[in-house]
Amino acid sequence: MKKIKTDKGEKQRRLLQEYIFNLEDVQEKAEELAVAHEKLKQSQELLMAVLGCTTHGVCLIRNGTFVWCNKALTDILGWELGEIIGKTTEAIYPAVREDEKANVIYGAFQQRRSVMHECELVHKDGHRVPCLVTGHFMDGDDSSRGYVLSITDFTERKKIEEELIQHRDHLEEMVKERTAKLQWVNDQLHREINERRLVENALKESENWYRTIFENTGTATAILDENKIILLANAECEKLSGYTRAELEGKKCWTEFVEKEDLDRMLNSHKLRRHNRDAAPKNYEFRFRDRNGHVKDIILTIDMIPGTNRSVTSLLDITERKKAEEERRKSEELYTTLIKTMPDIVVRTDVNGEILFVNEVGLKKGGYSREEVIGHNILSFVAPEERRTATDTMLNMIQQRLYPIEYHITAKDGRKPLFEVNGRILRDEDGFPYGFVFVCRDITERRRTEEARQRLEERLRRAEKMEVLGTLAGGVAHDLNNVLGVLVGYSELLLERVPEGNHLRKYTTNILQSGQKGAAIIQDLLTLARRGVAVSDVINLNDIVSGYLKSPEFERLKKFYPCITLDAILDKELLNVKGSPVHLEKTLLNLVSNAAEAISDYGDITIRTENRYLDKHVNGYDHLQEGDYAVLQISDNGKGISAADIEKIFEPFYTKKVMGRSGTGLGLAVVWGTVKDHEGYIDVQSKEGEGSVFSLYFPITREAKMVSDLKMVSAESYMGGGESILVVDDVREQRELAVTMLSRLGYRVNAVSSGEEAVEYLKARTVDLMVLDMIMAPGIDGLETYKRVLEINPKQKAVIVSGFSETEQVENAQKLGAGCYVRKPYIMEKIGLAIRDELLK
Amino acid sequence: MLWKGENHVAIKKILVVDDDKPISSYLLRKFTKLGYTVYVAEDGEKAVKQAFSNPPDIILLDVKLPRLGGIEVCKRLKADDRTKDIPILILSAKAQSFEINEGLEAGADKYLCKPMSFPAILDEIRAYDKK
């Protein structure tokens, strides 16, 4: 064909391809076969090993004959391996007829089906072995066809089974017996339960009663076991402890609530009580600590519950009661202490005033014993003149009108101290009065102190008044002095020019004297201002008196009051005082004039001096301090001073005199001021119609008295020698007066009107001395002027003149080197001497 | 045995086209054993029909076939979109060079000449696993 034609090799290739594939196939199958063979061999070995190890007998039967068996089968049936192979199955199976079960096997054999049955096989020695036989037919070719039997020995299992059956029978027997017993017991129980139910009902009822009582006792009640656990607690327990019942019951020990100090004692009782119910106390107090840590006082009542180890306890909170008791005790103690320690008398009486109680103070103050007071009427101790009032007061008290009232109480020794009595009525619950309580305070001393204070206040008020007026007067004095200075100065100059015998001389003299008198009044005012008094001289008051008695003023007084006798009793040993003679003379003069004026017709005036030592302070008219004093006393038997007036007599411008007849209204004020400047005291005793005594106390000094200044100075001693003087004064009249006076004294005088001018003046030229006014306005004052002048000329001499008194500025100027201080208004002699002294330094 | 599991990653379905029954059944048995799904077509028409209806992953194609020749089958399959990417291995007893050229020109991916052992054929198939 076409195919063959084209390629001969093609067919060969095709065949070859088929051949290769066949070859490959065969080779593969051969390989697979080898593998299968190997596996079979392994499997066979495994099977043999398994069959060799198992306890199950395995055998192969072919045509009714054993062809193979394992070791286990020989063990089960007692045959040796060699003995059994070739034997028929009848050798191990009993005769067919005897055992129908065996038929099963034979039947199975014939029908070639699998079988499993229990039967007895025959052991080699003839005994029967119970076995489980499993048979399986193996089909195949003749060589492999046969029956495989697996035989399991049941002997042990049978034995166990029999035993089990025996046991089971025995058990069943026992169960029967038991059941019968249980039935009986059950019946019994039923009966008992019924009985118990009855009892329980009764018990429940009883328990309800007790529960109700337990809950409603109103006190905390609890049941405790021997381990101290709270088994049962009522609602009050919850309140007391702060825990709920659930928290308390069965959980808490009562010991947790007991304060440490009480615990040992209570634990002891707890134990003791369980040994002998009556051995431990059944009531006691202890301190209970609740959940919040509050400690309460508790009365505990406890007893055992008979026949148990439990106790029942009730707890009564007495904290408030205790507190109240304590409060009451404290309050009583407080009152008792109060009454004992208070400085006042406390008296309690019945409604009639009969004394039921009086404190120690009352007995002490009155000086009575208790027996002398208790049972007596309180009115009998009131001063007789006040009893009426006291009775009325008590009646008022019953009518609720209460107020303190003052009584004098009669003490046993007759004293009648003043008491402020506060009373209160005591009423019972129905408001019915059943007594009085009086608190009596001794106000004798208080009253005295009050009076003293009043006096002191009055004195202070007076002193202040004087001070104010004095300051006022002092302020006026300065200007007035300048005016008077001119008056005095020019009248003096005029007197020198008017020849003796000229009638103008009398006028001039009058002007001069009036000026001087005016200056004296100014000095009084300055004295009141307490600034013008130099108390540095050592003086004997006797000299002052003597001097006064020789003075023209006294002569004038004698003439004016011819009917008055004056006596002077002077202590020769009188001690010196430090003071200002002028002021003291003035003081004496004022007092004597006043004494004279107090005597309307005939009368006596006595001037007395003496040393007096006050060893304690005296509250007289003045408040006198202790110490050594020289006393100047002026007494008269005139009309005296009324009590109303006596407080005011030292006030400035207070006068009883007829105006114009004498005085300035400053007389006694000057006396007061002078004495105060001398650090002394004044006592005044006076009775209207009997006269007055003025005693002036001056503190003494031990310094010796200076020789008295020369009274008379010759004009030559203070005449100038042509030295140059610069007058510095802001007041024109003063300047001119000074220039005139100093020119007359023989000095070369220039004047300037201010400090600044003075400084300018001294820059250009020098002067031997300055007469320097201290107070200048406007511009720098005397002190500043002097300071500046000293810068120009450190050795500049100066005399200070001032209308005012010695001030701080004067002192400061003197410290800087200025010389003496001359008070305005001055006369030629004074300023002349001052200048002369300064120039001679 | 190591081939199993590796080879059928890409190529699972093989269409064997051969009218020689012993060859095709041997290939069918061997490939199936290795886990491939194998279809067998005894002639060219069946082959084309089978390839269109159920496109295989690779085609092992004989040339001398009844009804429709292998060359013609190759041309048709390569001309159709559904099958043009399927690798076609010609396994033929025709081994002359013009015959080989004719096969390759018809679009066959490879031209194998019979006789070949199965392992050799398998190697050729496996070569397309990775492509």
Side-chain angles (χ1 to χ4, degrees), chain A residues 199-226:
Chain A
V199 173
E200 267 175 10
N201 283 341
L203 205 65
K204 203 173 277 175
E205 197 176 341
S206 161
E207 198 192 305
N208 275 339
W209 292 351
Y210 281 114
R211 183 47 99 166
T212 311
I213 294 167
F214 183 78
E215 284 301 339
N216 296 299
T217 50
T219 54
T221 307
I223 291 176
L224 316 168
D225 77 359
E226 62 182 325

PDB file of all heavy atoms in Angstrom, chain A residues 199-226:
ATOM      1  N   VAL A 199     -43.672  17.589 119.372  1.00  0.00           N
ATOM      2  CA  VAL A 199     -42.786  18.273 120.320  1.00  0.00           C
ATOM      3  C   VAL A 199     -42.268  19.580 119.704  1.00  0.00           C
ATOM      4  O   VAL A 199     -42.228  20.629 120.344  1.00  0.00           O
ATOM      5  CB  VAL A 199     -41.596  17.364 120.707  1.00  0.00           C
ATOM      6  CG1 VAL A 199     -40.592  18.137 121.545  1.00  0.00           C
ATOM      7  CG2 VAL A 199     -42.104  16.151 121.452  1.00  0.00           C
ATOM      8  N   GLU A 200     -41.890  19.472 118.427  1.00  0.00           N
ATOM      9  CA  GLU A 200     -41.340  20.656 117.750  1.00  0.00           C
ATOM     10  C   GLU A 200     -42.339  21.800 117.708  1.00  0.00           C
ATOM     11  O   GLU A 200     -41.985  22.955 117.896  1.00  0.00           O
ATOM     12  CB  GLU A 200     -40.948  20.289 116.311  1.00  0.00           C
ATOM     13  CG  GLU A 200     -39.497  19.880 116.207  1.00  0.00           C
ATOM     14  CD  GLU A 200     -39.145  19.416 114.818  1.00  0.00           C
ATOM     15  OE1 GLU A 200     -39.978  19.584 113.901  1.00  0.00           O
ATOM     16  OE2 GLU A 200     -38.042  18.866 114.653  1.00  0.00           O
ATOM     17  N   ASN A 201     -43.574  21.438 117.438  1.00  0.00           N
ATOM     18  CA  ASN A 201     -44.605  22.479 117.402  1.00  0.00           C
ATOM     19  C   ASN A 201     -44.692  23.191 118.734  1.00  0.00           C
ATOM     20  O   ASN A 201     -44.761  24.420 118.792  1.00  0.00           O
ATOM     21  CB  ASN A 201     -45.955  21.871 117.040  1.00  0.00           C
ATOM     22  CG  ASN A 201     -46.016  21.593 115.548  1.00  0.00           C
ATOM     23  OD1 ASN A 201     -45.241  22.162 114.781  1.00  0.00           O
ATOM     24  ND2 ASN A 201     -46.897  20.709 115.146  1.00  0.00           N
ATOM     25  N   ALA A 202     -44.691  22.347 119.791  1.00  0.00           N
ATOM     26  CA  ALA A 202     -44.744  22.928 121.131  1.00  0.00           C
ATOM     27  C   ALA A 202     -43.523  23.805 121.359  1.00  0.00           C
ATOM     28  O   ALA A 202     -43.617  24.925 121.874  1.00  0.00           O
ATOM     29  CB  ALA A 202     -44.802  21.806 122.165  1.00  0.00           C
ATOM     30  N   LEU A 203     -42.388  23.265 120.875  1.00  0.00           N
ATOM     31  CA  LEU A 203     -41.123  23.978 121.060  1.00  0.00           C
ATOM     32  C   LEU A 203     -41.122  25.292 120.300  1.00  0.00           C
ATOM     33  O   LEU A 203     -40.673  26.335 120.796  1.00  0.00           O
ATOM     34  CB  LEU A 203     -39.990  23.080 120.538  1.00  0.00           C
ATOM     35  CG  LEU A 203     -38.623  23.339 121.156  1.00  0.00           C
ATOM     36  CD1 LEU A 203     -38.654  23.005 122.635  1.00  0.00           C
ATOM     37  CD2 LEU A 203     -37.567  22.501 120.445  1.00  0.00           C
ATOM     38  N   LYS A 204     -41.635  25.215 119.062  1.00  0.00           N
ATOM     39  CA  LYS A 204     -41.675  26.399 118.213  1.00  0.00           C
ATOM     40  C   LYS A 204     -42.500  27.494 118.879  1.00  0.00           C
ATOM     41  O   LYS A 204     -42.127  28.653 118.900  1.00  0.00           O
ATOM     42  CB  LYS A 204     -42.269  26.021 116.855  1.00  0.00           C
ATOM     43  CG  LYS A 204     -41.846  26.987 115.758  1.00  0.00           C
ATOM     44  CD  LYS A 204     -42.299  26.515 114.409  1.00  0.00           C
ATOM     45  CE  LYS A 204     -41.332  25.504 113.828  1.00  0.00           C
ATOM     46  NZ  LYS A 204     -41.837  24.940 112.550  1.00  0.00           N
ATOM     47  N   GLU A 205     -43.584  27.065 119.433  1.00  0.00           N
ATOM     48  CA  GLU A 205     -44.468  28.034 120.098  1.00  0.00           C
ATOM     49  C   GLU A 205     -43.718  28.676 121.253  1.00  0.00           C
ATOM     50  O   GLU A 205     -43.695  29.896 121.407  1.00  0.00           O
ATOM     51  CB  GLU A 205     -45.707  27.298 120.609  1.00  0.00           C
ATOM     52  CG  GLU A 205     -46.839  28.249 120.929  1.00  0.00           C
ATOM     53  CD  GLU A 205     -48.085  27.461 121.339  1.00  0.00           C
ATOM     54  OE1 GLU A 205     -48.166  26.258 121.029  1.00  0.00           O
ATOM     55  OE2 GLU A 205     -48.954  28.059 121.968  1.00  0.00           O
ATOM     56  N   SER A 206     -43.071  27.770 122.034  1.00  0.00           N
ATOM     57  CA  SER A 206     -42.313  28.258 123.178  1.00  0.00           C
ATOM     58  C   SER A 206     -41.195  29.187 122.712  1.00  0.00           C
ATOM     59  O   SER A 206     -40.966  30.251 123.277  1.00  0.00           O
ATOM     60  CB  SER A 206     -41.746  27.060 123.922  1.00  0.00           C
ATOM     61  OG  SER A 206     -40.691  27.448 124.737  1.00  0.00           O
ATOM     62  N   GLU A 207     -40.553  28.748 121.619  1.00  0.00           N
ATOM     63  CA  GLU A 207     -39.430  29.548 121.124  1.00  0.00           C
ATOM     64  C   GLU A 207     -39.920  30.904 120.653  1.00  0.00           C
ATOM     65  O   GLU A 207     -39.269  31.912 120.850  1.00  0.00           O
ATOM     66  CB  GLU A 207     -38.750  28.823 119.962  1.00  0.00           C
ATOM     67  CG  GLU A 207     -37.355  29.363 119.719  1.00  0.00           C
ATOM     68  CD  GLU A 207     -36.794  28.856 118.412  1.00  0.00           C
ATOM     69  OE1 GLU A 207     -36.757  27.643 118.228  1.00  0.00           O
ATOM     70  OE2 GLU A 207     -36.406  29.695 117.591  1.00  0.00           O
ATOM     71  N   ASN A 208     -41.104  30.927 120.036  1.00  0.00           N
ATOM     72  CA  ASN A 208     -41.689  32.190 119.611  1.00  0.00           C
ATOM     73  C   ASN A 208     -41.863  33.139 120.781  1.00  0.00           C
ATOM     74  O   ASN A 208     -41.582  34.315 120.694  1.00  0.00           O
ATOM     75  CB  ASN A 208     -43.033  31.946 118.943  1.00  0.00           C
ATOM     76  CG  ASN A 208     -42.834  31.614 117.483  1.00  0.00           C
ATOM     77  OD1 ASN A 208     -41.794  31.930 116.910  1.00  0.00           O
ATOM     78  ND2 ASN A 208     -43.812  30.956 116.889  1.00  0.00           N
ATOM     79  N   TRP A 209     -42.358  32.512 121.902  1.00  0.00           N
ATOM     80  CA  TRP A 209     -42.516  33.340 123.092  1.00  0.00           C
ATOM     81  C   TRP A 209     -41.192  33.952 123.492  1.00  0.00           C
ATOM     82  O   TRP A 209     -41.062  35.133 123.683  1.00  0.00           O
ATOM     83  CB  TRP A 209     -43.052  32.505 124.272  1.00  0.00           C
ATOM     84  CG  TRP A 209     -44.464  32.028 124.098  1.00  0.00           C
ATOM     85  CD1 TRP A 209     -45.333  32.392 123.124  1.00  0.00           C
ATOM     86  CD2 TRP A 209     -45.134  31.087 124.914  1.00  0.00           C
ATOM     87  NE1 TRP A 209     -46.517  31.752 123.283  1.00  0.00           N
ATOM     88  CE2 TRP A 209     -46.427  30.925 124.393  1.00  0.00           C
ATOM     89  CE3 TRP A 209     -44.779  30.366 126.064  1.00  0.00           C
ATOM     90  CZ2 TRP A 209     -47.367  30.067 124.958  1.00  0.00           C
ATOM     91  CZ3 TRP A 209     -45.713  29.524 126.631  1.00  0.00           C
ATOM     92  CH2 TRP A 209     -47.012  29.364 126.074  1.00  0.00           C
ATOM     93  N   TYR A 210     -40.199  33.018 123.571  1.00  0.00           N
ATOM     94  CA  TYR A 210     -38.902  33.496 124.061  1.00  0.00           C
ATOM     95  C   TYR A 210     -38.287  34.493 123.088  1.00  0.00           C
ATOM     96  O   TYR A 210     -37.678  35.468 123.483  1.00  0.00           O
ATOM     97  CB  TYR A 210     -37.953  32.320 124.307  1.00  0.00           C
ATOM     98  CG  TYR A 210     -38.250  31.636 125.606  1.00  0.00           C
ATOM     99  CD1 TYR A 210     -38.718  30.337 125.655  1.00  0.00           C
ATOM    100  CD2 TYR A 210     -38.074  32.333 126.805  1.00  0.00           C
ATOM    101  CE1 TYR A 210     -39.021  29.739 126.846  1.00  0.00           C
ATOM    102  CE2 TYR A 210     -38.374  31.724 127.996  1.00  0.00           C
ATOM    103  CZ  TYR A 210     -38.841  30.426 128.034  1.00  0.00           C
ATOM    104  OH  TYR A 210     -39.126  29.846 129.226  1.00  0.00           O
ATOM    105  N   ARG A 211     -38.453  34.212 121.816  1.00  0.00           N
ATOM    106  CA  ARG A 211     -37.910  35.097 120.779  1.00  0.00           C
ATOM    107  C   ARG A 211     -38.512  36.502 120.938  1.00  0.00           C
ATOM    108  O   ARG A 211     -37.815  37.506 120.886  1.00  0.00           O
ATOM    109  CB  ARG A 211     -38.225  34.476 119.412  1.00  0.00           C
ATOM    110  CG  ARG A 211     -37.684  35.211 118.194  1.00  0.00           C
ATOM    111  CD  ARG A 211     -36.257  35.621 118.276  1.00  0.00           C
ATOM    112  NE  ARG A 211     -35.319  34.760 117.608  1.00  0.00           N
ATOM    113  CZ  ARG A 211     -34.066  35.095 117.348  1.00  0.00           C
ATOM    114  NH1 ARG A 211     -33.593  36.292 117.718  1.00  0.00           N
ATOM    115  NH2 ARG A 211     -33.249  34.276 116.769  1.00  0.00           N
ATOM    116  N   THR A 212     -39.843  36.514 121.152  1.00  0.00           N
ATOM    117  CA  THR A 212     -40.528  37.791 121.306  1.00  0.00           C
ATOM    118  C   THR A 212     -39.999  38.533 122.529  1.00  0.00           C
ATOM    119  O   THR A 212     -39.712  39.721 122.483  1.00  0.00           O
ATOM    120  CB  THR A 212     -42.045  37.550 121.440  1.00  0.00           C
ATOM    121  OG1 THR A 212     -42.429  36.671 120.400  1.00  0.00           O
ATOM    122  CG2 THR A 212     -42.809  38.858 121.322  1.00  0.00           C
ATOM    123  N   ILE A 213     -39.854  37.746 123.599  1.00  0.00           N
ATOM    124  CA  ILE A 213     -39.326  38.372 124.824  1.00  0.00           C
ATOM    125  C   ILE A 213     -37.914  38.888 124.566  1.00  0.00           C
ATOM    126  O   ILE A 213     -37.574  40.025 124.866  1.00  0.00           O
ATOM    127  CB  ILE A 213     -39.321  37.358 126.000  1.00  0.00           C
ATOM    128  CG1 ILE A 213     -40.756  36.997 126.341  1.00  0.00           C
ATOM    129  CG2 ILE A 213     -38.591  37.932 127.200  1.00  0.00           C
ATOM    130  CD1 ILE A 213     -40.892  35.782 127.251  1.00  0.00           C
ATOM    131  N   PHE A 214     -37.113  38.014 123.935  1.00  0.00           N
ATOM    132  CA  PHE A 214     -35.695  38.320 123.634  1.00  0.00           C
ATOM    133  C   PHE A 214     -35.577  39.606 122.821  1.00  0.00           C
ATOM    134  O   PHE A 214     -34.746  40.459 123.078  1.00  0.00           O
ATOM    135  CB  PHE A 214     -35.146  37.115 122.843  1.00  0.00           C
ATOM    136  CG  PHE A 214     -33.690  37.208 122.505  1.00  0.00           C
ATOM    137  CD1 PHE A 214     -32.724  36.946 123.461  1.00  0.00           C
ATOM    138  CD2 PHE A 214     -33.283  37.544 121.233  1.00  0.00           C
ATOM    139  CE1 PHE A 214     -31.390  36.999 123.143  1.00  0.00           C
ATOM    140  CE2 PHE A 214     -31.962  37.600 120.912  1.00  0.00           C
ATOM    141  CZ  PHE A 214     -31.006  37.331 121.873  1.00  0.00           C
ATOM    142  N   GLU A 215     -36.486  39.718 121.834  1.00  0.00           N
ATOM    143  CA  GLU A 215     -36.409  40.874 120.937  1.00  0.00           C
ATOM    144  C   GLU A 215     -36.915  42.154 121.574  1.00  0.00           C
ATOM    145  O   GLU A 215     -36.542  43.232 121.168  1.00  0.00           O
ATOM    146  CB  GLU A 215     -37.212  40.598 119.653  1.00  0.00           C
ATOM    147  CG  GLU A 215     -36.521  39.677 118.676  1.00  0.00           C
ATOM    148  CD  GLU A 215     -35.167  40.187 118.215  1.00  0.00           C
ATOM    149  OE1 GLU A 215     -34.929  41.403 118.317  1.00  0.00           O
ATOM    150  OE2 GLU A 215     -34.349  39.357 117.781  1.00  0.00           O
ATOM    151  N   ASN A 216     -37.844  41.976 122.544  1.00  0.00           N
ATOM    152  CA  ASN A 216     -38.530  43.168 123.018  1.00  0.00           C
ATOM    153  C   ASN A 216     -38.200  43.549 124.455  1.00  0.00           C
ATOM    154  O   ASN A 216     -38.942  44.283 125.081  1.00  0.00           O
ATOM    155  CB  ASN A 216     -40.031  42.996 122.850  1.00  0.00           C
ATOM    156  CG  ASN A 216     -40.382  42.882 121.389  1.00  0.00           C
ATOM    157  OD1 ASN A 216     -40.137  43.780 120.603  1.00  0.00           O
ATOM    158  ND2 ASN A 216     -40.904  41.731 121.012  1.00  0.00           N
ATOM    159  N   THR A 217     -37.113  43.016 124.980  1.00  0.00           N
ATOM    160  CA  THR A 217     -36.772  43.367 126.364  1.00  0.00           C
ATOM    161  C   THR A 217     -36.419  44.830 126.486  1.00  0.00           C
ATOM    162  O   THR A 217     -36.491  45.398 127.557  1.00  0.00           O
ATOM    163  CB  THR A 217     -35.570  42.562 126.877  1.00  0.00           C
ATOM    164  OG1 THR A 217     -34.556  42.692 125.904  1.00  0.00           O
ATOM    165  CG2 THR A 217     -35.917  41.135 127.130  1.00  0.00           C
ATOM    166  N   GLY A 218     -35.995  45.434 125.355  1.00  0.00           N
ATOM    167  CA  GLY A 218     -35.609  46.847 125.410  1.00  0.00           C
ATOM    168  C   GLY A 218     -34.162  47.014 125.799  1.00  0.00           C
ATOM    169  O   GLY A 218     -33.628  48.117 125.739  1.00  0.00           O
ATOM    170  N   THR A 219     -33.541  45.927 126.200  1.00  0.00           N
ATOM    171  CA  THR A 219     -32.107  46.000 126.450  1.00  0.00           C
ATOM    172  C   THR A 219     -31.424  45.058 125.477  1.00  0.00           C
ATOM    173  O   THR A 219     -32.026  44.115 124.995  1.00  0.00           O
ATOM    174  CB  THR A 219     -31.755  45.562 127.889  1.00  0.00           C
ATOM    175  OG1 THR A 219     -32.322  44.292 128.084  1.00  0.00           O
ATOM    176  CG2 THR A 219     -32.281  46.517 128.910  1.00  0.00           C
ATOM    177  N   ALA A 220     -30.157  45.355 125.218  1.00  0.00           N
ATOM    178  CA  ALA A 220     -29.397  44.492 124.328  1.00  0.00           C
ATOM    179  C   ALA A 220     -29.246  43.136 125.005  1.00  0.00           C
ATOM    180  O   ALA A 220     -28.806  43.068 126.146  1.00  0.00           O
ATOM    181  CB  ALA A 220     -28.040  45.101 124.063  1.00  0.00           C
ATOM    182  N   THR A 221     -29.652  42.081 124.320  1.00  0.00           N
ATOM    183  CA  THR A 221     -29.576  40.748 124.893  1.00  0.00           C
ATOM    184  C   THR A 221     -28.897  39.829 123.891  1.00  0.00           C
ATOM    185  O   THR A 221     -29.147  39.934 122.690  1.00  0.00           O
ATOM    186  CB  THR A 221     -30.985  40.226 125.212  1.00  0.00           C
ATOM    187  OG1 THR A 221     -31.639  41.200 126.016  1.00  0.00           O
ATOM    188  CG2 THR A 221     -30.938  38.911 125.965  1.00  0.00           C
ATOM    189  N   ALA A 222     -28.040  38.957 124.388  1.00  0.00           N
ATOM    190  CA  ALA A 222     -27.317  38.075 123.475  1.00  0.00           C
ATOM    191  C   ALA A 222     -27.089  36.737 124.139  1.00  0.00           C
ATOM    192  O   ALA A 222     -27.110  36.622 125.373  1.00  0.00           O
ATOM    193  CB  ALA A 222     -25.984  38.691 123.101  1.00  0.00           C
ATOM    194  N   ILE A 223     -26.910  35.728 123.303  1.00  0.00           N
ATOM    195  CA  ILE A 223     -26.569  34.404 123.822  1.00  0.00           C
ATOM    196  C   ILE A 223     -25.153  34.090 123.357  1.00  0.00           C
ATOM    197  O   ILE A 223     -24.818  34.285 122.176  1.00  0.00           O
ATOM    198  CB  ILE A 223     -27.578  33.357 123.339  1.00  0.00           C
ATOM    199  CG1 ILE A 223     -28.907  33.650 124.034  1.00  0.00           C
ATOM    200  CG2 ILE A 223     -27.103  31.946 123.643  1.00  0.00           C
ATOM    201  CD1 ILE A 223     -30.051  32.788 123.615  1.00  0.00           C
ATOM    202  N   LEU A 224     -24.338  33.633 124.303  1.00  0.00           N
ATOM    203  CA  LEU A 224     -22.919  33.441 124.028  1.00  0.00           C
ATOM    204  C   LEU A 224     -22.564  31.973 124.224  1.00  0.00           C
ATOM    205  O   LEU A 224     -23.094  31.328 125.119  1.00  0.00           O
ATOM    206  CB  LEU A 224     -22.080  34.280 124.998  1.00  0.00           C
ATOM    207  CG  LEU A 224     -22.559  35.708 125.217  1.00  0.00           C
ATOM    208  CD1 LEU A 224     -21.826  36.321 126.394  1.00  0.00           C
ATOM    209  CD2 LEU A 224     -22.320  36.535 123.965  1.00  0.00           C
ATOM    210  N   ASP A 225     -21.653  31.487 123.423  1.00  0.00           N
ATOM    211  CA  ASP A 225     -21.227  30.114 123.653  1.00  0.00           C
ATOM    212  C   ASP A 225     -19.916  30.094 124.416  1.00  0.00           C
ATOM    213  O   ASP A 225     -19.360  31.135 124.751  1.00  0.00           O
ATOM    214  CB  ASP A 225     -21.169  29.307 122.339  1.00  0.00           C
ATOM    215  CG  ASP A 225     -19.938  29.649 121.525  1.00  0.00           C
ATOM    216  OD1 ASP A 225     -19.142  30.517 121.953  1.00  0.00           O
ATOM    217  OD2 ASP A 225     -19.774  29.042 120.458  1.00  0.00           O
ATOM    218  N   GLU A 226     -19.458  28.884 124.707  1.00  0.00           N
ATOM    219  CA  GLU A 226     -18.273  28.817 125.573  1.00  0.00           C
ATOM    220  C   GLU A 226     -17.017  29.324 124.876  1.00  0.00           C
ATOM    221  O   GLU A 226     -16.026  29.658 125.515  1.00  0.00           O
ATOM    222  CB  GLU A 226     -18.059  27.384 126.073  1.00  0.00           C
ATOM    223  CG  GLU A 226     -17.792  26.383 124.958  1.00  0.00           C
ATOM    224  CD  GLU A 226     -17.629  24.981 125.505  1.00  0.00           C
ATOM    225  OE1 GLU A 226     -17.085  24.862 126.605  1.00  0.00           O
ATOM    226  OE2 GLU A 226     -18.070  24.027 124.852  1.00  0.00           O
TER     227      GLU A 226
END
